[in-house]
Each structure stands twice: as C-alpha cells, then as structure tokens.
Amino acid sequence: MILETDMFLAEHRASGRYLKSDFHARPRDGMAYEPYYWLVSNPFAADVLYSRRGWEMTFASEKNGWNLVADHFDIVPRPGCKCCGSTNIMLHIDMEKDFRDHPSIRCYKHKDRNPCAIEGCQRTTALKGSVRTTDAWLCSEHWKRFCPPRSARRRAYRSFFNKAKKLGLTSKDRWPADLEDGYWRFWELLIRNARARHAATGALDPSEINRLFGWTE
C-alpha cells in the first residue's frame, strides 16, 4: 500500500481544502497578469509542487503576505494510486468523499487490483468483486512475517475456517453472522498489529532491499 507520492499540496487546516491559483489579466495597469487564490475540495484540481521545500519557501516569503498565513496550512502528499503511488489520471474517484486517504483511488494499470495492506509494499492481488480497499489482503511475504505458520495467530485464523467446515460451509459460502463478524474483527486486529509492527521495525527488510536492487544472496 502506497501512502505518499512525490507531489505535494498546501492543505488549509480549518477547512481541509487545498490551495489553488490562477491569473487575472490586467493590461491597463502595465501588468500582464495578477495571481489570485482560492480553496478547492478536489486535491487533483489544486496547485502541486514536487517537493515540500517548495511550499516551505512559498510560506516563508513576505511577498503578498504568505508568511502571515503559513500557520494556516499543512504541506501534504497529493493522493495517488494506492497500489503504486502513481499520480496520473485516477479512476473510480467519488468526488463527494474525502480524498486524503481514499482507498479506492487507482491508476489505469491497477484499476482491477488491491494492494498489500502493509505501507510501502507494491505487491497487489486481483480485485475480488467490486470493493477496492487497502486492508483486505497481505502478500505472501508479509503474511508469513505477521501471521507465521504454527503461530497462535495462524491457529486463530484457521479456526474460523475449521468452524465453517464443521457446518458444511466453505469460504465462498455465506457464513453465519456471528462467525463472519468474528472473522472480520480478528482480521482488523491482525492488520492493525501488522502495520504497527512494520512501522516499528522499518519499511524494508534485507530481502526487500535485495529485490529492489536486483542483488542475490
């Protein structure tokens, strides 16, 4: 799952909207154009810079009083594809919802994919049904790491399927409400725990570094 991109926006703290600019023509004053600014709710329509430093320099400037409103804005990453971080044209965006961490944002390449739930991982799986989410799947590497074979977590996970099997059901069948609710409570806890442990130990392990650089052990 990719949270950050290489594009940055200025987000207004009070409203959660984003800074946008354009220009008025003023030829009579001897000035070709005059900038004007407003706030928009759609981050894909807002002004974008390719570094945080660019925005920091803007808000440090005394020109036009930017330094006076610096504490009204946060510099945030522009939303991107949750699978790869691409900020090209996105699909399946609900313009009425909050974009800041919208799980359904996908690029064209990944429009039918869901990402691994662990931040920074670019492995994906085929979309099952129509639900685009960022917390319903762990890739094989992170599954083994955070729910290892013969562990208590793996036994707890398998227990739901064993109970369903005793009822003559499979994972594709509709489970009783109490069994299904219990499974999803367990899954949400597993994902929260995996993300917390991953954040505490760092984004990349040695095998991931080797894979990225094409090294072999």
Side-chain angles (χ1 to χ4, degrees), residues 132-183:
R132 291 175 176 82
T133 181
T134 59
D135 57 8
W137 178 72
L138 288 172
C139 70
S140 60
E141 179 182 335
H142 289 120
W143 174 246
K144 291 176 183 177
R145 186 187 308 175
F146 298 119
C147 193
R150 296 178 294 280
S151 67
R153 286 187 296 276
R154 183 68 69 92
R155 290 195 297 272
Y157 173 79
R158 292 303 314 167
S159 70
F160 293 100
F161 296 90
N162 292 336
K163 291 176 183 177
K165 186 176 181 179
K166 290 179 180 179
L167 296 173
L169 303 172
T170 69
S171 59
K172 297 181 179 179
D173 295 322
R174 181 72 178 185
W175 287 3
D178 59 339
L179 184 59
E180 185 171 357
D181 290 346
Y183 171 81

Side-chain angles (χ1 to χ4, degrees), residues 13 17 63 72 75 79 84 97 123 138 144 146 153 171 176 192 200 202 210:
R13 290 180 181 176
R17 304 176 80 189
K63 185 178 180 179
H72 295 182
I75 302 167
C84 68
K97 292 184 178 180
R123 300 180 184 92
L138 288 172
K144 291 176 183 177
F146 298 119
R153 286 187 296 276
S171 59
R192 287 201 304 270
N210 290 338

